[in-house]
């Protein structure tokens, strides 16, 4: 991205320099009538057209730092207001370029101009234009690229950590078993621990595979009629061992017999992640409730806990990959930061959505809203054939 911007910026600077040169060559000779007039105060013909088609923010300054031309992107980002360049760093770069005539490149952070955005990061290139002190400023928004790079770094760090923990544990347990070969009780105990670590490793790999598959926006390969009751029961069975260890009761309720059209394995994966999260962030001797209700043309599945809750400022980011409200607690519980991202993508794959309500100290409720099978959320007996539901 940085190289492509530099290439584009170089092309634009070159094209505008040619336009300036051509206009200077074609300009009429100076006379007494034109003496004292600032010839460079206006843009040469064609420059405005070039700037108008640029995808990046572009600004042309005159010799007195006034804005002669600014692209709509530059104004939208708040880089320009009226005839003034608002970013002090850019203005300082422009003055340096005007003094020595050298092209400069840099990166700057500008206070967010869009709603909900704290800062915008720009890759900038500043170049002289013509011989009248005019300067061209090009700024490319690379906030999203930096965010993606940060996510990638988080991915490597988190997955490396999560892989290292079970693999290292299994290596140590294998050595321990070898040393305790004459103690059947110790061998049995350590073998159980190895199975636990192997299962943890398997869950991580499965989550990565699942996230990779559903992130690719691939259609569900074999959609079918999915029983919500069966999916909830399967998910609870998967999570019951961890819940029992903390004396947390898993309860299901609501309207029975509701169905959706989709993939039962993906739905179980999403519910398992929601229930696992609820158990991990709940104190001992509490309850996690999974409830179902019809909602017109959709089915709503809610997972509620009595846990620590989520800070309000974190609610908008909770479904991002690898985002952790409490990194230390998440790692201690074996979380990878992928669970809620998977839930979000499973909901999207079913043309549905997921939402969250939470209050610190009072718990959280995550709700999956998925299109009902047949277009209307109607409870049907489990033995009802598929054709009858379609009719």
């Amino acid at each position: 991205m940085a190289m492509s911007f530099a290439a584009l910026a170089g092309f634009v600077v070159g094209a505008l320099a040619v336009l300036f040169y051509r206009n200077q060559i074609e300009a009429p000779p100076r006379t007494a009538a034109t003496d004292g007039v600032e010839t460079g105060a206006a843009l040469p013909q064609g420059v405005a057209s070039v700037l108008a088609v640029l995808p990046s923010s572009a600004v042309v300054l005159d010799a007195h730092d006034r804005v002669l031309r600014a692209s709509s992107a530059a104004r939208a980002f708040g880089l320009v207001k009226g005839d003034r360049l608002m970013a002090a760093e850019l203005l300082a770069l422009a003055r340096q370029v005007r003094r020595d005539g050298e092209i400069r490149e840099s990166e700057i952070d500008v206070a967010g101009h869009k709603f909900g955005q704290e800062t915008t990061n720009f890759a900038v290139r500043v170049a002289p234009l013509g011989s009248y002190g005019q300067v061209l400023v090009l700024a490319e928004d690379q906030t999203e690229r930096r965010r993606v790079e940060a996510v990638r770094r988080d991915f490597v760090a988190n997955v490396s950590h999560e892989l290292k923990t079970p693999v290292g544990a299994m290596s140590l347990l294998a050595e321990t078993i070898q040393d305790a070969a004459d103690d059947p009780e110790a061998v049995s105990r350590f073998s159980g621990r190895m199975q636990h670590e192997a299962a943890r490793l398997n869950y991580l790999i499965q989550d990565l595979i699942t996230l990779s598959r559903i992130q690719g926006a691939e259609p569900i390969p074999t959609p079918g009629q999915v029983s919500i009751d069966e999916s909830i029961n399967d998910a609870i069975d998967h999570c019951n061992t961890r819940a029992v260890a903390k004396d947390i009761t898993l309860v299901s309720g609501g309207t029975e017999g509701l169905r959706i059209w989709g993939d039962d394995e993906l739905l179980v994966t999403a519910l398992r992640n929601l229930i696992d999260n609820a158990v991990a962030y709940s104190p001992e001797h509490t309850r996690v409730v999974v409830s179902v209700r019809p909602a017109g043309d959709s089915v709503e599945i809610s997972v509620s806990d009595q846990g620590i809750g989520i800070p309000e400022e974190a609610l908008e980011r909770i479904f991002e990959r690898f985002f952790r409200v409490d990194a230390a607690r998440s790692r201690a519980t074996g979380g990878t930061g992928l669970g809620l991202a998977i839930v979000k993508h499973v909901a999207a794959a079913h043309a549905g959505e997921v939402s969250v309500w939470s209050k610190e100290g009072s718990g959280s409720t995550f709700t999956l809203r998925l299109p009902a099978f047949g277009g209307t959320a109607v409870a049907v007996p489990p033995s009802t054939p598929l054709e009858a539901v379609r009719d």
Side-chain angles (χ1 to χ4, degrees), residues 188-232:
S188 177
R189 183 170 68 254
F190 293 130
S191 296
R193 285 293 306 165
M194 286 187 69
Q195 291 177 342
H196 172 78
E197 296 297 339
R200 179 180 175 183
L201 185 60
N202 181 63
Y203 276 129
L204 173 60
I205 294 172
Q206 287 300 322
D207 279 353
L208 288 171
I209 293 172
T210 300
L211 185 60
S212 176
R213 176 161 65 96
I214 60 180
Q215 263 192 316
E218 298 177 7
I220 296 175
T222 55
Q225 183 182 184
V226 179
S227 167
I228 301 297
D229 299 335
E230 292 179 7
S231 296
I232 290 175

Side-chain angles (χ1 to χ4, degrees), residues 17 20 62 64 72 86 92 129 131 145 195 240 259 287 382:
F20 269 77
D62 67 9
H64 303 290
S72 56
M86 304 303 293
L129 285 179
S131 57
R145 180 176 68 83
Q195 291 177 342
N240 201 49
R259 305 181 184 188
R287 298 200 315 167

Side-chain angles (χ1 to χ4, degrees), residues 225-234 255-260 267 271 290-293 299-301 370-371:
Q225 183 182 184
V226 179
S227 167
I228 301 297
D229 299 335
E230 292 179 7
S231 296
I232 290 175
N233 290 335
D234 288 347
T255 305
E256 298 181 353
L258 295 175
R259 305 181 184 188
I260 65 167
L267 181 57
L271 292 173
V290 185
S291 59
V292 186
R293 75 179 189 92
V299 176
E300 290 187 351
I301 311 170
L370 307 173

Side-chain angles (χ1 to χ4, degrees), residues 12 25 58 97 141 154 221 264 269 271 291 349:
V12 172
I25 293 298
V97 168
D141 177 17
D154 286 344
D264 57 343
T269 298
L271 292 173
S291 59

Side-chain angles (χ1 to χ4, degrees), residues 13 15-30 38-47 60-61 68 128-135:
V13 171
L16 293 181
V18 169
L19 284 172
F20 269 77
Y21 177 76
R22 179 183 299 167
N23 277 273
Q24 288 176 6
I25 293 298
E26 295 174 354
R30 295 184 62 181
E38 187 179 7
T39 312
L43 284 178
Q45 183 181 2
V47 174
V60 176
L61 301 175
L68 292 179
L129 285 179
S131 57
Y132 300 105
Q134 293 173 329
V135 175

Side-chain angles (χ1 to χ4, degrees), residues 121-278:
N121 179 264
F122 290 97
V124 299
R125 187 179 179 94
V126 185
L129 285 179
S131 57
Y132 300 105
Q134 293 173 329
V135 175
L136 170 68
V137 177
L138 294 176
E140 182 75 10
D141 177 17
Q142 57 177 9
T143 307
E144 180 64 17
R145 180 176 68 83
R146 292 188 67 180
R147 190 191 69 81
V148 170
E149 288 178 352
V151 168
R152 188 179 294 113
R153 288 194 299 270
D154 286 344
F155 173 84
V156 173
N158 282 278
V159 171
S160 297
H161 174 84
E162 296 302 330
L163 288 173
K164 182 179 179 180
T165 301
V167 170
M170 285 192 291
S171 177
L172 290 174
L173 287 167
E175 293 178 7
T176 305
I177 289 174
Q178 189 174 21
D179 295 338
D182 297 331
D183 186 349
E185 183 178 345
V187 169
S188 177
R189 183 170 68 254
F190 293 130
S191 296
R193 285 293 306 165
M194 286 187 69
Q195 291 177 342
H196 172 78
E197 296 297 339
R200 179 180 175 183
L201 185 60
N202 181 63
Y203 276 129
L204 173 60
I205 294 172
Q206 287 300 322
D207 279 353
L208 288 171
I209 293 172
T210 300
L211 185 60
S212 176
R213 176 161 65 96
I214 60 180
Q215 263 192 316
E218 298 177 7
I220 296 175
T222 55
Q225 183 182 184
V226 179
S227 167
I228 301 297
D229 299 335
E230 292 179 7
S231 296
I232 290 175
N233 290 335
D234 288 347
I236 288 178
D237 286 343
H238 274 98
C239 304
N240 201 49
T241 301
R242 180 178 292 186
V244 168
K246 296 181 66 175
D247 192 24
I248 292 176
T249 305
L250 302 182
V251 180
S252 62
T255 305
E256 298 181 353
L258 295 175
R259 305 181 184 188
I260 65 167
W261 179 257
D263 186 294
D264 57 343
E265 183 179 345
L266 286 180
L267 181 57
V268 170
T269 298
L271 292 173
R272 174 174 62 81
N273 278 297
L274 289 177
I275 297 172
D276 268 339
N277 266 15

